[in-house]
Amino acid sequence: MSYPRHTMSSAGSRTSRRTFEFGRTYVVRPRGKHQATIVWLHGLGDNGLSWSQLFESLHLPNVKWICPTAPTRPVTLLGGFPCTAWFDVGELSDEGPDDWEGLDASAAHIANFLSAEPADVKVGIGGFSMGAATALYSAVCWASGRYVNGIPYPINLRAVMGLSGWLPGSRSLRNRMESSNEATRRAASLPLLLSHGTCDDTVPYIHGEKSARNLSSAGFRYLTFKSYDGLGHYTVPKEMSDVCSWVTARLGLDGSRS
């Protein structure tokens, strides 16, 4: 299943446009009653296939997983080397500068998938590393009701997960949230799960911890932060088991105990 290019006007200019060629999308169909759909986003340089294979083995029969592949683009952090990336990144910083246009295009691409889901199906977004950063950015777009470029955000998110990631441009996004009472009210109702390994040397643990604090202070009160002692920049069965339990409980799926 593949999707065509996506274009979006720049946040800084109404005339300049960049074209983003998204890669192949992999879908894991629910084995039971379809109650939820989650778009899951891979990390820098990866693709949707590896995560779709993992989700095939998880015991979440009522969830449909959509695992897209990011565009291939030059990445500043890698000296301009091209690889799959949801947005360009130079450094992990509260300030940025961040590729808001790339983030908006990726968030819109994700929203397009979820907008096609049945009305009675609960929808969410999750991701790992850069995919987690994009998922958390989508959460802020949902709460504020719009992308950074001003276009309305169209999806009613019910859950967002970020593993080994960070909130891109967290200071400006937090300021944006704090300037709107409505955004703060909406944020308080959205379940967020952030998890991070204490020995992550790619996205250091402090970035996950700081992102959780910034999101909480911006109004995301329904936030769970889980740390995993000794875990590096990868996932383990215990972490994925915790994700499954959290998704089941927060989305009220069959088999939930809470």
Side-chain angles (χ1 to χ4, degrees), residues 196-210:
H196 220 108
T198 59
C199 293
D200 191 332
D201 58 1
T202 301
V203 180
Y205 178 80
I206 186 64
H207 288 289
E209 200 173 39
K210 187 184 296 185

Side-chain angles (χ1 to χ4, degrees), residues 51 128 162-165 194-206 226-240 242-243:
W51 283 98
F128 176 81
L163 280 54
S164 304
L194 277 68
S195 65
H196 220 108
T198 59
C199 293
D200 191 332
D201 58 1
T202 301
V203 180
Y205 178 80
I206 186 64
K226 295 182 72 69
S227 61
Y228 294 85
D229 289 340
L231 181 65
H233 197 63
Y234 50 87
T235 189
V236 290
K238 166 61 176 169
E239 184 179 31
M240 294 312 298
D242 290 343
V243 168

Side-chain angles (χ1 to χ4, degrees), residues 147-248:
Y147 302 99
V148 161
N149 62 18
I151 294 175
Y153 188 78
I155 304 302
N156 182 24
L157 290 178
R158 300 293 298 272
V160 172
M161 295 146 280
L163 280 54
S164 304
W166 75 98
L167 178 63
S170 58
R171 183 165 300 175
S172 61
L173 290 179
R174 185 180 65 187
N175 292 341
R176 176 179 162 200
M177 288 287 302
E178 291 173 346
S179 66
S180 168
N181 290 334
E182 175 63 16
T184 302
R185 183 191 66 78
R186 285 165 59 87
S189 68
L190 180 66
L192 290 182
L193 172 65
L194 277 68
S195 65
H196 220 108
T198 59
C199 293
D200 191 332
D201 58 1
T202 301
V203 180
Y205 178 80
I206 186 64
H207 288 289
E209 200 173 39
K210 187 184 296 185
S211 295
R213 287 199 306 268
N214 284 333
L215 286 163
S216 180
S217 67
F220 289 93
R221 307 297 185 188
Y222 202 2
L223 184 152
T224 301
F225 181 76
K226 295 182 72 69
S227 61
Y228 294 85
D229 289 340
L231 181 65
H233 197 63
Y234 50 87
T235 189
V236 290
K238 166 61 176 169
E239 184 179 31
M240 294 312 298
S241 176
D242 290 343
V243 168
C244 289
S245 297
W246 186 88
V247 168
T248 298

Side-chain angles (χ1 to χ4, degrees), residues 12-141:
S13 169
R14 294 185 179 276
T15 57
S16 65
R17 296 175 70 87
R18 288 161 60 193
T19 298
F20 300 93
E21 297 275 1
F22 288 86
R24 183 175 177 181
T25 298
Y26 301 85
V27 177
V28 180
R29 305 286 177 185
R31 296 183 294 276
K33 180 183 178 183
H34 184 193
Q35 296 180 297
T37 294
I38 297 173
V39 174
W40 192 272
L41 309 172
H42 62 76
L44 180 65
D46 200 0
N47 58 58
L49 175 61
S50 58
W51 283 98
S52 70
Q53 292 172 334
L54 173 62
F55 293 133
E56 290 275 9
S57 65
L58 293 187
H59 185 64
L60 282 173
N62 305 114
V63 177
K64 173 183 176 182
W65 299 92
I66 300 176
C67 302
T69 299
T72 297
R73 69 180 84 203
V75 177
T76 303
L77 184 66
L78 303 179
F81 183 81
C83 67
T84 54
W86 298 109
F87 56 95
D88 186 28
V89 60
E91 61 178 355
L92 304 186
S93 167
D94 288 353
E95 301 288 352
D98 286 289
D99 177 16
W100 300 115
E101 187 181 5
L103 277 162
D104 277 346
S106 290
H109 186 66
I110 298 158
N112 285 342
F113 287 118
L114 295 176
S115 66
E117 293 303 292
D120 62 341
V121 168
K122 299 169 185 176
V123 298
I125 303 172
F128 176 81
S129 191
M130 177 179 271
T134 309
L136 296 178
Y137 174 72
S138 296
V140 174
C141 291

